[in-house]
Amino acid sequence: MADVPSFDRRDDEISAILEQERRGRIKRLAQVAGAIIFILFCMWMTELLNTARMAEGIPAISIVFGEMVPPDFTRWRAWISPLLDTVAMSVAGTALAVALSIPLGFLAAANTAPNKAVYHVARLVLNTLRSIPELILGIVFVAAVGFGMLPGVLALGLHSVGMVGKFFAEAIEHAHPAPIEAAEATGATKMQVVTHAVMPQVFPQFADVTMYRWEYNFRASTVMGMVGAGGIGTELVGSLRLLDYPQVGAILIVILIAVTLVDNFSNILRRTFS
């Protein structure tokens, strides 16, 4: 008879666990349902669910794509230099972003920021840069420094800092504390802790983010020509203004091939640094 209370207690614990799991499941289902309802509302509000309007636009789109066939590659030699400019712009912009994001990332990470004030200021800087689209920055820098690749590099670089710096800061915050505590216990300086305890842990994540951002910047740099920032986008905009759709189709194919090559090369580099 002495064992009866222990069995009752165990049954009560099991029942409490099952009840807690049931409530958690109901809560998750409610959250998912709420998210789905909100998404459907946004789709309805933006007329994405307006099938009649979508059906009206399909013939117009098919006409435009039909005029791009066959693509006209007669000017392909003239596109080599702008395409190389686009590659250079994406590489330089990514390099600028990484150079600025590393110190900002350490200042915006809770475990490496000198104090709360610096942490919040660094986070504000990253949020500000991330909130301004690169196209708007391109317009601003074209007005400031003139036409060419320089405004494109500045626009891509500064906009990328907002996202790259945020990912760097999150990687730093998730670094395992044991190596950091061990380095601090030996009397290492802040810089020594960063270089010997933090960087070896976060370098693979830094490399991944850098490669992904380079891929994005290459795609983004193709449209920077719309605001006079150079690159293959300038050729694309020129053809669109002339309504030369066969040439537009050819330039889009060239851009697609270039993006595919950049993505493959980025994957190779990612495997190398991981």
Side-chain angles (χ1 to χ4, degrees):
M1 295 299 294
D3 292 337
V4 173
S6 63
F7 280 116
D8 291 342
R9 193 181 311 113
R10 191 176 305 163
D11 290 340
D12 291 341
E13 291 175 354
I14 294 173
S15 299
I17 293 172
L18 293 175
E19 179 65 20
Q20 185 178 4
E21 183 182 352
R22 186 183 69 83
R23 290 179 180 177
R25 187 165 57 249
I26 293 174
K27 183 180 179 180
R28 285 192 296 271
L29 289 174
Q31 290 172 341
V32 171
I36 292 174
I37 292 172
F38 178 71
I39 292 171
L40 290 174
F41 172 75
C42 292
M43 294 173 68
W44 170 81
M45 187 176 179
T46 56
E47 295 192 86
L48 188 60
L49 300 179
N50 189 341
T51 54
R53 186 173 180 182
M54 295 285 286
E56 290 176 1
I58 291 175
I61 295 173
S62 62
I63 291 173
V64 172
F65 279 106
E67 292 182 357
M68 293 183 184
V69 180
D72 180 12
F73 288 95
T74 54
R75 296 187 62 251
W76 67 270
R77 291 181 180 84
W79 302 334
I80 295 176
S81 179
L83 193 60
L84 293 176
D85 291 345
T86 300
V87 174
M89 199 161 34
S90 65
V91 172
T94 305
L96 175 63
V98 172
L100 296 176
S101 296
I102 290 176
L104 275 173
F106 280 100
L107 295 177
N111 56 338
T112 55
N115 52 63
K116 286 290 185 181
V118 173
Y119 169 81
H120 289 297
V121 170
R123 285 281 177 172
L124 179 62
V125 171
L126 294 178
N127 291 339
T128 301
L129 293 174
R130 193 166 58 251
S131 65
I132 306 174
E134 62 265 20
L135 209 58
I136 302 301
L137 287 174
I139 294 172
V140 172
F141 285 121
V142 164
V145 301
F147 295 100
M149 289 188 289
L150 179 59
V153 171
L154 294 174
L156 291 172
L158 291 182
H159 176 72
S160 297
V161 169
M163 187 61 68
V164 175
K166 179 185 177 183
F167 283 131
F168 281 7
E170 290 179 353
I172 294 166
E173 287 181 342
H174 287 89
H176 199 282
I180 300 174
E181 293 171 355
E184 290 174 343
T186 61
T189 63
K190 282 285 186 182
M191 185 57 65
Q192 290 172 331
V193 170
V194 167
T195 56
H196 293 89
V198 180
M199 282 301 295
Q201 295 189 66
V202 300
F203 181 77
Q205 293 95 316
F206 280 19
D208 277 347
V209 172
T210 301
M211 293 300 105
Y212 280 123
R213 196 62 195 186
W214 177 45
E215 295 173 18
Y216 172 84
N217 282 341
F218 181 80
R219 292 189 292 269
S221 61
T222 60
V223 299
M224 293 306 292
M226 295 182 179
V227 296
I232 193 66
T234 303
E235 297 290 331
L236 180 61
V237 171
S239 298
L240 283 170
R241 287 174 178 170
L242 295 174
L243 302 180
D244 190 349
Y245 290 113
Q247 196 167 116
V248 170
I251 295 174
L252 290 176
I253 291 173
V254 169
I255 292 174
L256 175 61
I257 294 172
V259 168
T260 303
L261 292 175
V262 167
D263 287 352
N264 290 335
F265 184 60
S266 174
N267 289 333
I268 294 172
L269 292 178
R270 194 177 296 114
R271 287 194 296 269
T272 301
F273 289 115
S274 61

